[in-house]
Amino acid sequence: MTYLLNKTKLHLRMGQRLIYLDNNSTTPTDPRVVETMIPYFYENPGNAASRNHPAGWAAEGAVDTAREQLADLINADSREIIFTSGATESDNLAIKGVFEMYARKGNHIITATTEHKAVLDACKKVEKMGGEVTYLEVDSEGLISLEELEAAITDKTILISIMWANNETGVIQPMKAIGDICAKHGVLFMSDATQAVGKIPVDPKEVGVHLMAWTSHKMYGPKGVGALFVNRKNPRVKVTSQMDGGGHERGMRSGTLNVPGIVGFGKAAAIAKEEMYEDNARLSKLRDKLQKGLMDILEESYVNGSQEHRMPHVTNISFKHVEGEGLMMTFNQNIALSSGSACTSASLEPSYVLVALGLGDDLAHSSLRFSLGRFTTEEDIDATIKQVSEGVNHMRELSPIWEMFKEGVDIDAIEWSEH
């Protein structure tokens, strides 16, 4: 039986193809990945830790193959790949695991204000455990200052955690320069590379990264499986396990391995290694077409973050005096993407990443993140330019703020009453 899916039937909604531009949130699983996974749900159901019968041996062999595929993608030793449930667990294992393992050396960690919540919240937990954390600010491009990073290092610093590429803006940090600073001061370097691995060339050893987290579902693999790279030599890095019970994954992460998910993760890595450059060339052209198309049509639109140092498939654009969540309602039956606002328990808050870049609440609330992917077509881009620009113009026509702005009123100088 053949399990291949028809690409043209992906993302259906009410009989109409949904234009999916939210690939930084999650990617669709590649049909080739799904086909590779299916036998491990029932034909080969073994537990990779069951080493006394053929089903277990088959599962263990499949996991070994996937581990090698992941290692090959990032130019690592397969023994340096630890499987987890996803990047959030990998981030927690790296940060908390290093904090506990190297407690005798120090208790200070350095990170950035624009990191993913998986890193920021893990650092907050470290602070509650008695650690000290320095949160570096970024400039208007979304980049950290190397001078401020080096100045923040103390004799108690044990870990620097800086993400490879930002999930909201796609901005890529100067990884090699950061790695050189870490090497100079003998500090471990960890990176959440969730948005980078499988999409651009990522080689942790080349840039001096000692621990690196990423996940399958951001690179066309299944959800629920991730990995942590842990350097074995020069230096040999150790982490304290955060999950006990069986000593799986070289004692760093106990728990029955998700064999079908790991098999799919491995296949996704193999596909990425083979097709990455071709994908990037195509997606960067489509991204640039989308960005130019919107900005040519819509005045007072701004790209957020560095346009020089960013992922090839991402653009984050603010449309002045347009509320992003409301704008999305004009087309969200047809286009899937993300806004620059985040829902909290009581209110709609602007993205902390965009605020960190220096955007005011108005521009942060008016931003949309477009993240293209392997299945994005030129027709999708044409339709998106049309629908988003129509939505922006429609909302501006209804907005008294926009009318005042066009009449030359200084909106920022107005003192608004709360009554």
Side-chain angles (χ1 to χ4, degrees):
M1 182 179 293
T2 299
Y3 301 98
L4 284 175
L5 305 177
N6 187 336
K7 290 183 183 180
T8 62
K9 293 183 179 179
L10 289 170
H11 321 310
L12 293 181
R13 182 183 178 89
M14 298 173 62
Q16 180 179 355
R17 183 175 185 272
L18 179 68
I19 298 172
Y20 189 77
L21 300 179
D22 200 19
N23 288 275
N24 275 16
S25 175
T26 189
T27 54
T29 307
D30 192 295
R32 293 167 291 181
V33 170
V34 175
E35 187 171 33
T36 303
M37 293 172 61
I38 285 175
Y40 293 91
F41 285 106
Y42 64 97
E43 289 177 10
N44 299 312
N47 185 329
S50 298
R51 297 189 172 94
N52 54 0
H53 55 69
W57 302 333
E60 184 180 28
V63 168
D64 288 344
T65 296
R67 205 184 300 273
E68 291 170 0
Q69 289 170 318
L70 289 173
D72 186 47
L73 177 63
I74 65 168
N75 194 29
D77 184 322
S78 63
R79 294 171 295 178
E80 297 173 313
I81 306 299
I82 304 301
F83 285 117
T84 67
S85 64
T88 294
E89 183 187 346
S90 296
D91 286 333
N92 276 263
L93 175 56
I95 293 169
K96 297 174 186 174
V98 165
F99 177 72
E100 293 182 23
M101 180 63 69
Y102 294 85
R104 290 185 178 181
K105 180 180 179 183
N107 68 342
H108 181 226
I109 293 174
I110 300 172
T111 189
T113 58
T114 50
E115 293 289 307
H116 190 275
K117 285 292 186 182
V119 168
L120 295 177
D121 287 352
C123 287
K124 293 296 183 185
K125 186 61 177 288
V126 162
E127 289 180 298
K128 291 180 180 179
M129 296 163 62
E132 296 182 5
V133 181
T134 297
Y135 298 90
L136 299 174
E137 300 291 340
V138 297
D139 62 18
S140 61
E141 297 274 280
L143 299 167
I144 66 166
S145 163
L146 296 175
E147 291 76 17
E148 290 179 8
L149 169 64
E150 189 159 20
I153 297 173
T154 73
D155 59 356
K156 298 295 185 182
T157 305
I158 54 175
L159 181 70
I160 292 172
S161 179
I162 301 294
M163 69 195 321
W164 207 295
N166 188 268
N167 48 302
E168 295 194 34
T169 62
V171 170
I172 300 171
Q173 296 292 344
M175 300 303 290
K176 182 65 169 66
I178 298 170
D180 289 344
I181 291 173
C182 291
K184 175 182 175 182
H185 293 274
V187 176
L188 293 180
F189 184 16
M190 180 261 174
S191 182
D192 179 341
T194 304
Q195 296 294 343
V197 178
K199 296 178 180 178
I200 60 173
V202 169
D203 187 331
K205 294 184 179 182
E206 183 179 44
V207 300
V209 165
H210 305 114
L211 301 107
M212 187 179 77
W214 78 104
T215 193
S216 167
H217 76 99
K218 305 286 190 181
M219 48 181 284
Y220 309 98
K223 298 174 181 64
V225 59
L228 178 67
F229 160 79
V230 182
N231 200 67
R232 281 178 57 85
K233 294 181 180 180
N234 302 319
R236 182 181 180 88
V237 179
K238 297 181 180 180
V239 297
T240 300
S241 174
Q242 301 299 300
M243 191 178 300
D244 302 313
H248 306 74
E249 294 300 280
R250 303 186 183 278
M252 298 186 204
R253 195 271 186 184
S254 293
T256 300
L257 293 177
N258 173 5
V259 176
I262 288 170
V263 168
F265 197 3
K267 179 64 174 179
I271 293 171
K273 185 172 179 64
E274 183 177 343
E275 300 181 1
M276 182 190 305
Y277 291 97
E278 181 180 347
D279 279 350
N280 284 350
R282 187 182 71 87
L283 289 176
S284 62
K285 289 180 181 178
L286 291 180
R287 188 270 314 273
D288 291 347
K289 176 179 180 178
L290 171 64
Q291 181 176 298
K292 184 177 187 302
L294 289 172
M295 299 188 75
D296 283 351
I297 295 171
L298 301 168
E299 60 181 315
E300 298 296 329
S301 54
Y302 307 92
V303 177
N304 299 315
S306 173
Q307 294 189 58
E308 179 182 0
H309 306 287
R310 64 171 169 170
M311 297 293 290
H313 66 289
V314 182
T315 186
N316 188 304
I317 305 176
S318 290
F319 306 97
K320 194 164 189 175
H321 300 313
V322 174
E323 200 277 312
E325 289 290 316
L327 172 58
M328 286 175 60
M329 292 179 66
T330 68
F331 56 72
N332 67 359
Q333 294 295 311
N334 304 316
I335 307 172
L337 43 77
S338 294
S339 77
S341 302
C343 291
T344 63
S345 59
S347 63
L348 198 65
E349 298 292 338
S351 157
Y352 68 91
V353 171
L354 298 182
V355 171
L357 267 64
L359 272 70
D361 286 1
D362 55 341
L363 277 181
H365 273 307
S366 73
S367 74
L368 297 180
R369 180 189 69 187
F370 303 86
S371 49
L372 287 59
R374 184 173 292 165
F375 304 109
T376 304
T377 66
E378 190 154 8
E379 291 74 21
D380 291 339
I381 299 304
D382 292 335
T384 299
I385 293 171
K386 180 176 185 296
Q387 292 187 49
V388 172
S389 59
E390 288 176 351
V392 171
N393 286 328
H394 174 70
M395 292 195 69
R396 283 176 171 174
E397 287 173 2
L398 301 176
S399 170
I401 301 295
W402 179 251
E403 184 178 352
M404 293 167 64
F405 172 76
K406 291 296 290 180
E407 291 174 353
V409 176
D410 185 355
I411 305 297
D412 295 331
I414 297 177
E415 293 187 8
W416 301 98
S417 172
E418 295 182 2
H419 302 287

